[in-house]
Amino acid sequence: MTDSHAPVESAIPVAPHTKRERQLWMDLLRGLAILLVVAFHSVTILERHAYTAAPWMRDFNQLFVLYRMPTLVFLSGLLLAGSFGKGIVLYLLGKGRRIFWPLLVWTLIYALVIGPMVDGPVQLLKYLSGQSYLWFLTFILIYYLAAIPLRRLSPLLVAAVAFGIAILAPDGSKNGERLFYLMAFFFLGSWVGGHWALWMRVVRSRAALLGWIVIVGASAAAVVYELHYGPLYAVPALCFIIAVSATAFWIQAARWCAPLIFMGQHSLIFYVSHFPTIYIVMGFCRGLGVKQAEVATMVAFPVALLVGLLLVLASRASWVVDLLFVAPAPPQRVVGALQAVEKRLAFV
């Protein structure tokens, strides 16, 4: 990724050659995952305005339910391998500015637009702990913080332990099964980021495209049996990541991929802005007397993408708008003082 507004750091651990090529397919994959998240909420938010989603709309979302979030978390983990190179101070400042800050800002926007309002630290803590659509940022922040004490261990070992905990956790628990299941994909991504040459051999292999066979079967089962992502369906999720990564690698130069690549490069902006936008647009639709859920969705979905695009452009032109997505950098003297303390403590 090249943009500072992504849910994760923008440095990609790559080999010295073909950096841009690899960057584009990763952005393409990330953009696809974000698009599926926007589509998902374009249906689920209907119920908040007393709409009833048509069965085909629910079925469409179910086609991708096993893959959306594991893919996004895996891509975030890919960036961990090179994150500690400049020290813990800059590592923490980067995560604070680009993850915690937008989490806080858009939590307050969520409370203002949708509610309940933040009436004190308890309610704010509830939101920040993952009780809104921003839970993904909360999880990613937890994984990045957990990576500090775990950085001496093999990411593959951490992923295996997290997966084991997910299996033992209560089924469907958000801060149990889901937290550790996705943690496994995060650290699996970190391991892959540290074995980039091997991963690229896999991605370039046409055999990776055979994963589409598993994807088709698992997607059909997800629709028929109303499955939800979790440890039982880790294999289809892995097949999706591998097969779609390979597909993205082969098609990344196509012009029609450019919008998805753009979304991937600015994924945080599209992610944080889409939910309030969809909620507001559907509220207007209900207020104007639109009764068909399909119409409300078909209006809200493109508007959410348009708002994301406008915010990307506005953030480039105005530092005020940019503050919605990344916190200001602290004074260099403060950073230097913290780095001096870090060096003295030999923390790295």
Side-chain angles (χ1 to χ4, degrees), residues 200-220:
M200 289 312 301
R201 285 200 297 271
V202 172
V203 168
R204 289 192 178 103
S205 170
R206 293 190 181 275
L209 299 175
L210 294 175
W212 281 105
I213 299 173
V214 178
I215 294 170
V216 171
S219 295

Side-chain angles (χ1 to χ4, degrees), residues 186-229:
F186 180 86
F187 281 97
L188 178 61
S190 176
W191 182 85
V192 167
H195 297 77
W196 196 254
L198 172 62
W199 176 246
M200 289 312 301
R201 285 200 297 271
V202 172
V203 168
R204 289 192 178 103
S205 170
R206 293 190 181 275
L209 299 175
L210 294 175
W212 281 105
I213 299 173
V214 178
I215 294 170
V216 171
S219 295
V223 172
V224 173
Y225 299 106
E226 298 184 354
L227 305 180
H228 300 281
Y229 68 87

Side-chain angles (χ1 to χ4, degrees), residues 11 14 16 26 29 42 53 73 96 101 103 115 124 127 153 161 170 172 177 202 208 281 289 307 324 330 334:
V14 297
M26 286 181 64
L29 183 54
S42 295
V73 173
W101 175 263
L103 170 61
L124 179 60
Y127 278 135
L153 301 177
V161 173
E177 182 185 72
V202 172
V281 171
V307 168
L324 292 172
V334 175

Side-chain angles (χ1 to χ4, degrees), residues 170-188:
D171 291 344
S173 55
K174 185 173 186 177
N175 294 323
E177 182 185 72
R178 183 192 296 183
L179 175 67
F180 287 99
Y181 176 65
L182 294 179
M183 184 178 183
F185 278 93
F186 180 86
F187 281 97
L188 178 61

